[in-house]
Amino acid sequence: MIAKVAIAQCAPALGAFKRNLAMHQEWIGRARAAKADLVIFPELSLTGYYVKDLASDLACPATDERLAPIVNASRDIDVCAGFIERGPDARLHIAQGYWSKGRLLNVHRKVYLPTYGIFDDGRYFGPGERFEVFASVGGPAGIAICEDLWHVSVPYTYAANGATIVFSPASSPGRGVAEGGDLGTAESCRLMDRFYAQYLTLYVVFVNRVGHEDGIAFWGGSEVVAPDGTVVARAPDFEEHLLMAEIDRDLVGRERDRNPLVRDERADLVVSHLARARGFAD
């Protein structure tokens, strides 16, 4: 079974919710015209990333009427987009919603909030507490927002709970220069994407934004990596681009037959050892 995915490598405007919502509708229209089954946007695609003190004004519950155009658009194409969620306890979260057939299927709240260097997530947002697998158009999926994917426990947890896809929406700034002159951030992300995909035998769908905020440039380079480690499709760096890729659900099965690491994984031993190390077991 094949699912056609569209990655909207776009440049959200900082703090301009209405303008970004209109931008989403344009990109969704382009993805629909390309016969995509799903269009996925970067982290905080509806608000911009460095929102700082604007976070409270831009926040809304996942069921807010302001998101109705996204809900309506999802009636004939699945939509995965980033927003600032105000939770039931009034805390703010960096969130990514997944809508399908006119209803909200899943909301992931970013768990790992980088608060170092040029990042200040922990100052304005509360961390999420869950990693849930849900039924996406491409198969069982989990969402890892930017920094989440840098923690190996996250894709591992998703794979151990049946995921065959990890969607990773990001707002990754370009930093550093790797050996050979490539962008350091890009080299690290591509190595990570391929490693997770091949050794957990799942699809990694990395969705990065472009554009500038507060003098910071976001580098793009969105990509889809298959469970055999093959780069299915990759967007250019620093340019807006609608990237199309196919997800072959049957390929996951073939790769897991050939390379049964997930099948043979002993999650029970991992849990027991972690519990013992944390003092939660006898």
Side-chain angles (χ1 to χ4, degrees):
M1 180 177 176
I2 303 292
K4 197 171 183 180
V5 176
I7 291 177
Q9 182 170 288
C10 55
L14 182 61
F17 188 95
K18 290 183 179 179
R19 191 191 315 174
N20 290 329
L21 185 59
M23 177 196 71
H24 278 62
Q25 291 173 296
E26 292 178 12
W27 285 81
I28 291 169
R30 292 173 60 189
R32 186 184 290 116
K35 307 298 184 184
D37 300 302
L38 162 67
V39 56
I40 178 168
F41 291 85
E43 175 185 14
L44 292 181
S45 56
L46 283 162
T47 64
Y49 180 65
Y50 285 107
V51 293
K52 300 182 180 178
D53 292 334
L54 293 174
S56 182
D57 294 335
L58 294 166
C60 64
T63 56
D64 195 274
E65 185 63 25
R66 281 181 285 178
L67 297 174
I70 301 292
V71 177
N72 293 333
S74 76
R75 297 185 187 281
D76 59 358
I77 180 173
D78 287 13
V79 181
C80 187
F83 65 105
I84 297 173
E85 183 197 21
R86 185 175 293 281
D89 60 0
R91 289 198 301 169
L92 303 183
H93 300 278
I94 295 174
Q96 189 84 7
Y98 188 103
W99 292 264
S100 179
K101 296 180 174 56
R103 63 189 184 94
L104 180 65
L105 288 189
N106 180 265
V107 175
H108 175 69
R109 296 169 174 172
K110 188 175 184 178
V111 172
Y112 293 103
L113 302 175
T115 309
Y116 57 83
I118 61 174
F119 304 106
D120 214 8
D121 288 14
R123 181 177 179 185
Y124 302 98
F125 302 103
E129 302 291 341
R130 300 189 307 273
F131 297 107
E132 296 181 342
V133 175
F134 65 98
S136 80
V137 71
I143 296 174
I145 301 175
C146 205
E147 183 87 357
D148 287 345
L149 196 66
W150 288 81
H151 293 260
V152 68
S153 57
V154 177
Y156 173 86
T157 297
Y158 280 137
N161 282 285
T164 59
I165 308 170
V166 173
F167 297 119
S168 184
S171 289
S172 176
R175 295 181 296 159
V177 177
E179 186 176 349
D182 292 334
L183 184 66
T185 309
E187 183 177 68
S188 296
C189 286
R190 288 165 182 164
L191 176 64
M192 181 171 60
D193 293 345
R194 188 174 182 188
F195 173 80
Y196 288 148
Q198 189 166 6
Y199 285 91
L200 294 174
T201 48
L202 45 67
Y203 277 91
V204 173
V205 180
F206 173 67
V207 186
N208 195 20
R209 61 162 292 181
V210 292
H212 295 78
E213 289 180 7
D214 285 353
I216 303 298
F218 300 92
W219 62 278
S222 304
E223 65 179 4
V224 177
V225 185
D228 59 359
T230 301
V231 177
V232 178
R234 178 179 289 160
D237 294 349
F238 298 107
E239 298 177 18
E240 289 194 306
H241 186 78
L242 185 69
L243 181 68
M244 302 300 301
E246 291 185 346
I247 288 178
D248 183 355
R249 297 178 68 168
D250 293 336
L251 178 60
V252 178
R254 293 196 298 272
E255 282 303 306
R256 290 189 173 180
D257 288 343
R258 187 186 68 82
N259 183 18
L261 294 176
V262 172
R263 182 199 69 190
D264 297 341
E265 183 59 39
R266 292 293 306 275
D268 56 329
L269 287 180
V270 174
V271 170
S272 66
H273 279 280
L274 287 175
R276 190 176 302 116
R278 293 288 182 175
F280 298 136
D282 294 333

